[in-house]
Amino acid sequence: MGATLAQKIIARAAGRREARVGDIVTCRVDLAMMHDSGGPRRIAPMLQRLGAEVWDPSRVVVVSDHYAPAVDPDSAAILDLTRKWVKNAGVARFHDMQGICHVILPERGYLRPGMFAVGGDSHSPTAGAFACFMFGVGATEMAGVLVTGEIWIKVPETHLVRWRGRLHRGLSAKDMMLALCREMGLGAVGYNVVQYAGEAVRALAMSERMVLANMAAELGAQTALIEPDEVTLAALAEAGVEAPDALDWRGDVDATYANMWEFDAGALAPQVAAPHSPANARSVGEYAGVAIDQAYIGACTGAKLSDLHMAREVLERRKVASSTRLLVAPASTRITAEAAADGTLTALTAAGAILLPTGCGACAGLGAGLLAAKEVCISSTARNFRGRMGAATAEVYLASPYTVAASAIAGRITDPREMLG
Amino acid sequence: MMKDDDCRPRDRALGGRAWVFGDNIDTDTLAPGLYMKRPVEEIAEHCLEAVDPRFAKEVRAGDVVVGGENFGIGSSREQAVAALKHLGVAAIVAKSFAGLFFRNCLNLGLAALTMRDTARIRPGDRVTVDPQTGRVDDLTTGARYAAEPIPPHLAEMIRDGGLLAHLEKKLKAGRA
Ligand code: SF4
């Protein structure tokens, strides 16, 4: 019987001929990523207690993004501790305030199809867009990986999610994903793998495929995967990654899937998820007219160059409504530079957008752009759990960068297609 | 009579009052981002306050958290588990857990058991939980439930007190 892509990667990492669903196996870790919040500040005391060192610093990536840049002495101390630990541990692949971890990994060429990786962050499945099996772990489990270079895993099932058709203008991967949160529900696939396929997925750029992989976390999946194709190869080449075997990393034709889900991208309207769950997604019309205090374009999910381009399409030659504010926090410094070079930042700021530093910022309730009690925000981020972006009574709606930008112009939730002509 | 195991919860069972929550209790509710820079003692004061402001103030050592579907969905933050442990929560029994949160519970040595009929346990019931057999007793109503026991390959780690203590033991044995 054939194997899924997930089974093949796990078998390889476990040094086995096959990995049967439900088997508990121990895998060698190709890459371990952690950030300033769950990383050194939490694992340093654990390694100290164990009297152990990092098994292989060349396989470790550390990114300071959650508390960057520092906003108070506490966050400054966390960043300082992170810098010192990295130096001591001999970790060369350290990115200090240069971007959000899940965006840094592919941008700096750290991902290769077929990799088995762990990340100290729940959106680690993002790497699945590049056919890496990467899942999130807590700090203690990360400490275990750093000491042993290994981790146990129960071989998961794979849910195949096929998108046929083509997205219409003004729609994006975020709309596909919010629709999935509603249709599939949070937790319906269990702690398994979601593999995205179909014509509509193939048509997406890598930065858009990353949104699908990223928000598999919201579905409760252990991780996500997308089989590599020419689009993947081009992105790898651009990042300077040599991966001659990239196209070999795919499931067998006779692989067994737990379930097949079918969706039609062509039938999709822009989606908006109401507070306080991504599963509250509906067509934008259902929430049109809701007045907003803040519009936020940020996070690993929603502030890549392609996201800024979507916002630009809507914002060009328009102005943000005086009743609201539009905050933009690009997902990496490289993206900021690219958006500056191609005129995107000029277009956004001319429309009245306020440019924030790169980093997790308000997405995790840590940086600039937090919400006051009862304020309403529409955001391109992945999560709208109660209290995540500030006050517990704040209300966060999730949407695509198109919809967030259009809502910023109107001062209320708006269908971006009205502004795209 | 006294040695009849079926008549009373076993000595190793954990127990206290039940705190009952609904579906999709997320990690932002368990460990709010606003306090994430602070030590776990402080995060714990705000644990679950968005859904039950009394919880952090009134929960006592040995109490049991009872959840619905998908308990612990959200981020990888271990503080979500550490806060519950700090408050003295002895075990979590839920219809289902988010996978990452479940791993974190076991790694920190907090018993997390999956059980379908949690809805029948009422807030304040006296409950005991035996992680190794999966037996759950509601002493208030007299009902007994069978949760899924902790997987055997992890039982040793839990017995050692979590992943760190387990590794410590293994490293020591390796060096000896
Ligand atoms: S941007 Fe938000 S979702 Fe992404 S890693 Fe940072 S906190 Fe997590």
Side-chain angles (χ1 to χ4, degrees):
Chain A
M1 204 165 52
T4 62
L5 173 55
Q7 285 174 295
K8 287 186 179 181
I9 298 175
I10 291 168
R12 200 265 309 143
R16 292 174 158 230
R17 269 197 34 245
E18 57 166 5
R20 280 173 321 200
V21 167
D23 279 359
I24 288 170
V25 298
T26 300
C27 291
R28 301 291 303 167
V29 171
D30 298 314
L31 179 124
M33 183 280 290
M34 52 187 168
H35 53 57
D36 51 342
S37 182
R41 73 165 171 142
R42 310 235 25 251
I43 56 102
M46 302 184 199
L47 295 189
Q48 212 161 17
R49 170 174 159 193
L50 296 175
E53 303 208 323
V54 175
W55 101 104
D56 184 353
S58 74
R59 294 188 185 275
V60 177
V61 176
V62 178
V63 180
S64 282
D65 53 5
H66 277 59
Y67 293 106
V71 292
D72 56 18
D74 283 340
S75 46
I78 292 170
L79 295 177
D80 181 51
L81 182 155
T82 308
R83 284 179 202 113
K84 288 178 175 147
W85 184 87
V86 160
K87 207 164 161 207
N88 248 317
V91 173
R93 297 193 287 183
F94 171 47
H95 298 276
D96 194 1
M97 312 204 288
Q98 291 165 348
I100 302 167
C101 54
H102 308 300
V103 173
I104 287 282
L105 289 182
E107 184 182 282
R108 305 298 165 125
Y110 297 155
L111 301 179
R112 229 180 325 102
M115 262 187 169
F116 183 92
V118 297
D121 190 274
S122 60
H123 285 106
S124 298
T126 311
F130 291 80
C132 302
F133 189 102
M134 183 165 181
F135 60 106
V137 297
T140 303
E141 195 143 46
M142 179 58 79
V145 169
L146 292 180
V147 172
T148 63
E150 296 177 345
I151 192 166
W152 68 267
I153 184 171
K154 185 170 165 190
V155 181
E157 301 188 295
T158 296
H159 289 250
L160 197 63
V161 175
R162 220 187 271 284
W163 280 93
R164 62 172 185 277
R166 285 296 183 100
L167 285 173
H168 290 295
R169 183 156 153 72
L171 280 102
S172 69
K174 183 63 171 293
D175 299 296
M176 296 163 76
M177 203 54 227
L178 289 174
L180 290 184
C181 288
R182 175 190 63 235
E183 294 297 326
M184 298 173 71
L186 314 183
V189 297
Y191 195 49
N192 288 302
V193 175
V194 173
Q195 187 169 317
Y196 301 105
E199 179 195 357
V201 174
R202 296 269 165 248
L204 294 175
M206 288 313 289
S207 55
E208 284 280 272
R209 295 181 187 184
M210 283 164 68
V211 175
L212 299 183
N214 176 281
M215 287 187 66
E218 274 51 68
L219 298 175
Q222 180 169 25
T223 194
L225 286 168
I226 298 175
E227 290 179 344
D229 61 7
E230 301 67 40
V231 178
T232 324
L233 292 185
L236 290 170
E238 205 189 315
V241 181
E242 281 184 36
D245 65 343
L247 292 180
D248 301 341
W249 290 103
R250 49 183 57 252
D252 290 328
V253 281
D254 56 345
T256 312
Y257 295 95
N259 206 346
M260 308 263 210
W261 306 70
E262 277 265 346
F263 299 95
D264 182 2
L268 207 58
Q271 301 289 306
V272 173
H276 298 279
S277 167
N280 293 341
R282 302 283 181 276
S283 293
V284 58
E286 302 239 352
Y287 300 120
V290 172
I292 53 160
D293 299 296
Q294 174 169 307
Y296 187 82
I297 292 179
C300 53
T301 322
K304 294 170 267 68
L305 190 61
S306 52
D307 300 309
L308 303 187
H309 285 163
M310 290 179 213
R312 174 189 186 164
E313 272 185 66
V314 174
L315 291 169
E316 215 144 42
R317 291 179 297 280
R318 292 196 171 93
K319 290 276 181 214
V320 171
S322 59
S323 60
T324 190
R325 51 193 190 253
L326 170 62
L327 310 183
V328 179
S332 77
T333 48
R334 196 175 280 183
I335 290 169
T336 312
E338 284 167 358
D342 73 9
T344 302
L345 291 189
T346 310
L348 301 188
T349 49
I354 297 155
L355 198 60
L356 297 181
T358 274
C360 294
C363 172
L366 303 171
L370 297 188
L371 300 165
K374 303 220 167 98
E375 277 194 322
V376 178
C377 176
I378 187 162
S379 173
S380 69
T381 53
R383 290 191 178 135
N384 57 348
F385 298 144
R386 201 185 294 275
R388 182 173 168 90
M389 286 182 78
T393 54
E395 306 213 313
V396 179
Y397 291 81
L398 300 177
S400 75
Y402 284 125
T403 307
V404 173
S407 305
I409 297 295
R412 45 195 68 250
I413 294 178
T414 299
D415 188 335
R417 293 174 299 186
E418 293 168 16
M419 295 188 186
L420 288 168
Chain B
M1 260 272 281
M2 284 303 284
K3 61 182 185 342
D4 182 353
D5 220 28
D6 284 331
C7 286
R8 66 192 174 106
R10 299 171 199 191
D11 293 343
R12 65 165 178 260
L14 314 158
R17 297 170 305 164
W19 291 83
V20 180
F21 297 94
D23 294 342
N24 296 308
I25 292 294
D26 60 73
T27 52
D28 286 86
T29 305
L30 290 158
L34 228 45
Y35 309 101
M36 280 291 288
K37 280 187 290 238
R38 312 300 307 159
V40 69
E41 300 78 50
E42 205 170 312
I43 298 171
E45 288 170 25
H46 303 280
C47 181
L48 289 163
E49 77 182 353
V51 288
D52 186 352
R54 289 181 314 125
F55 175 75
K57 292 187 196 83
E58 295 176 18
V59 66
R60 287 200 297 262
D63 283 358
V64 173
V65 166
V66 179
E69 300 284 2
N70 218 0
F71 194 94
I73 185 165
S75 89
S76 61
R77 60 186 71 165
E78 261 178 11
Q79 288 92 330
V81 179
L84 291 171
K85 272 200 79 171
H86 178 79
L87 293 170
V89 169
I92 311 174
V93 180
K95 282 203 183 102
S96 64
F97 287 92
L100 181 44
F101 179 84
F102 184 73
R103 286 185 82 113
N104 284 342
C105 283
L106 304 191
N107 284 325
L108 293 191
L110 176 60
L113 288 96
T114 309
M115 179 176 111
R116 292 315 301 172
D117 39 7
T118 58
R120 286 159 55 200
I121 301 177
R122 299 165 315 187
D125 281 2
R126 299 207 58 87
V127 173
T128 61
V129 176
D130 183 336
Q132 282 166 46
T133 60
R135 175 172 161 176
V136 176
D137 284 275
D138 186 328
L139 304 181
T140 308
T141 62
R144 185 197 304 169
Y145 307 97
E148 280 174 40
I150 305 279
H153 72 288
L154 293 171
E156 191 193 339
M157 182 175 88
I158 307 249
R159 269 199 300 279
D160 289 344
L163 177 62
L164 266 199
H166 183 60
L167 277 177
E168 203 169 19
K169 191 174 99 178
K170 278 198 0 196
L171 286 174
K172 272 206 190 106
R175 278 186 201 121

